[in-house]
Amino acid sequence: MADVRDGLPTEPHGDWQKGDVKPDGRVRIDSGFYVAIGSGQNPGELLKQIRFYLGECRARGIHFERSDVDAELRISFPCEPGVATPTLDLSLADMTMLVEMGINLSITA
């Protein structure tokens, strides 16, 4: 895991430990780290940030298909009463990149 962490385009924003509880209530079976790729309300801009970051990882030879690495792209949109939830349109190329790089996808609103 250290070689993946060292090769990332940015420094991780935090860590978790084996046994910590995930946001979905499940318990983590391994230790790991978080990387923030982007934020904002504009889904188009967020997709550009995600594509750029993952493209940079791919260019550096980073992938997450190893048995000791569990990667997840978590996309979350805050929901306010009376405000429409933004639409995020992932293309087949986006989904293919996630699969090829061994990244799980989680989208919450």
Side-chain angles (χ1 to χ4, degrees):
M1 181 169 63
D3 56 335
V4 169
R5 186 179 181 138
D6 291 341
L8 292 172
T10 60
E11 288 295 316
H13 282 71
D15 296 280
W16 69 78
Q17 301 301 316
K18 180 179 180 176
D20 287 352
V21 178
K22 292 181 177 185
D24 64 6
R26 296 181 297 170
V27 175
R28 296 191 184 277
I29 59 173
D30 292 310
S31 298
F33 57 88
Y34 296 102
V35 175
I37 295 176
S39 63
Q41 296 294 323
N42 182 323
E45 185 60 34
L46 180 59
L47 270 177
K48 284 174 41 179
Q49 293 169 347
I50 291 168
R51 289 172 180 145
F52 178 81
Y53 193 90
L54 294 181
E56 185 66 25
C57 287
R58 180 185 274 174
R60 293 172 181 225
I62 297 171
H63 58 87
F64 305 95
E65 297 162 321
R66 300 173 7 191
S67 61
D68 64 335
V69 175
D70 184 22
E72 178 180 274
L73 174 60
R74 180 170 295 150
I75 300 170
S76 178
F77 292 104
C79 291
E80 297 179 28
V83 177
T85 303
T87 300
L88 187 70
D89 295 316
L90 295 167
S91 69
L92 288 175
D94 296 328
M95 299 301 291
T96 300
M97 184 183 324
L98 293 175
V99 170
E100 289 174 350
M101 293 181 72
I103 301 173
N104 297 304
L105 177 63
S106 173
I107 300 174
T108 59

